[in-house]
């Protein structure tokens, strides 16, 4: 079967990237993880990728004078990997409109809230402060508006009595690890069916 080549962009721990790598091992998964790129050389996820035989590289944003020159290097690295899809997984750099538009329809992000609720940071603490009874995560197509693109898939978790931001984050993260592989598969399958139609 045809497998779309997906690159995963990380900045740290990389647990969602690991979930994508594990899912992509299945023979019937419609994407392969072509590479992992971090903007931070110390990202823990890089070692996992390398240990699993996946091309892993760093494009350190601090080495570039402008966002555009950083992104030009990122684009070149993605091209070298033959990436067709970009999956942001805890990637902590805001991308310019130019970059996002070059990858339009082929770049996705996982966000720890039920979008459009709680865009931005500290989503778990904000949900608790609001007394939310349900929370969760979303995978969305990336557009120039931060956390604002069309949602592909969401997963909901309950907020339980006594939850702290950490306990709620852990419950959401478990849901993320199941949701992101489903969402990448959905996008890859959609893009492949567009190729043949
Ligand atoms: C996840 O909670 C994700 O939703 C958010 O950043 C966190 C990244 O975690 N965008 P990890 O690096 O995938 O473990």
């Amino acid at each position: 079967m045809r497998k779309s080549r997906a690159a995963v962009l990380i900045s740290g721990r990389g647990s969602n990237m690991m979930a994508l790598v594990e899912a992509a091992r299945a023979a019937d998964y419609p994407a392969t993880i072509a590479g992992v790129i971090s903007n931070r050389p110390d990202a823990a996820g890089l070692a996992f990728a390398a240990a699993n035989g996946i091309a892993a590289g760093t494009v350190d944003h601090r080495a570039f004078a402008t966002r555009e020159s950083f992104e030009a290097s990122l684009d070149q690295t993605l091209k070298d990997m033959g990436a067709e899809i970009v999956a942001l997984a805890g990637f902590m750099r805001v991308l310019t409109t130019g970059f996002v538009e070059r990858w339009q329809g082929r770049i996705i992000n996982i966000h720890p809230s039920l979008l459009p609720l709680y865009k931005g940071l500290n989503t778990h603490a904000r949900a608790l402060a609001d007394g939310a009874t349900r929370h969760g995560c979303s995978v969305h197509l990336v557009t120039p508006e931060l956390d604002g693109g069309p949602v592909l898939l969401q997963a909901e978790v309950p907020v339980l009595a006594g939850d702290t931001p950490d306990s709620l984050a852990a419950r959401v993260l478990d849901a993320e690890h199941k949701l992101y592989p489903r969402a990448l598969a959905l996008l890859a399958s959609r893009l492949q069916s567009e190729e043949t139609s």
Side-chain angles (χ1 to χ4, degrees):
M1 71 181 292
R2 156 132 161 76
K3 287 177 180 267
S4 301
R5 294 178 66 78
V8 187
L9 268 50
I10 64 169
S11 296
R13 181 175 58 182
S15 68
N16 277 289
M17 173 271 292
M18 294 176 199
L20 294 174
V21 168
E22 298 297 345
R25 290 190 208 285
D28 62 349
Y29 195 79
T32 187
I33 306 304
V36 174
I37 306 171
S38 171
N39 66 304
R40 300 182 54 104
D42 58 351
L46 285 174
F48 172 89
N52 282 272
I54 293 167
T58 301
V59 181
D60 187 343
H61 63 279
R62 292 167 305 185
F64 298 89
T66 62
R67 223 173 255 282
E68 285 75 13
S69 56
F70 163 65
E71 291 179 351
S73 177
L74 200 54
D75 252 337
Q76 187 58 50
T77 310
L78 289 166
K79 203 171 157 196
D80 292 345
M81 287 175 172
E84 299 166 284
I85 294 175
V86 176
L88 308 181
F91 184 68
M92 300 303 284
R93 301 300 297 169
V94 172
L95 296 165
T96 65
T97 298
F99 183 92
V100 169
E101 286 180 347
R102 279 197 295 286
W103 287 94
Q104 195 183 357
R106 297 180 296 140
I107 177 167
I108 53 178
N109 179 46
I110 185 149
H111 183 74
S113 76
L114 295 172
L115 290 170
L117 296 173
Y118 310 119
K119 296 176 181 177
L121 298 175
N122 302 318
T123 59
H124 311 302
R126 285 156 62 205
L128 287 174
D130 282 353
T133 55
R134 47 190 281 279
H135 188 45
C137 50
S138 309
V139 176
H140 64 94
L141 286 160
V142 175
T143 63
E145 191 203 335
L146 191 69
D147 302 326
V151 169
L152 274 176
L153 288 177
Q154 289 185 316
E156 198 176 308
V157 304
V159 179
L160 302 179
D163 259 339
T164 63
D166 283 350
S167 66
L168 186 54
R171 194 173 307 120
V172 171
L173 193 63
D174 268 349
E176 291 182 39
H177 295 161
K178 297 183 185 86
L179 186 73
Y180 213 179
R182 285 178 48 217
L184 175 60
L186 177 67
L187 179 65
S189 304
R190 261 191 210 169
L191 293 174
Q192 288 173 21
S193 60
E194 280 170 23
E195 284 166 11
T196 51
S197 65

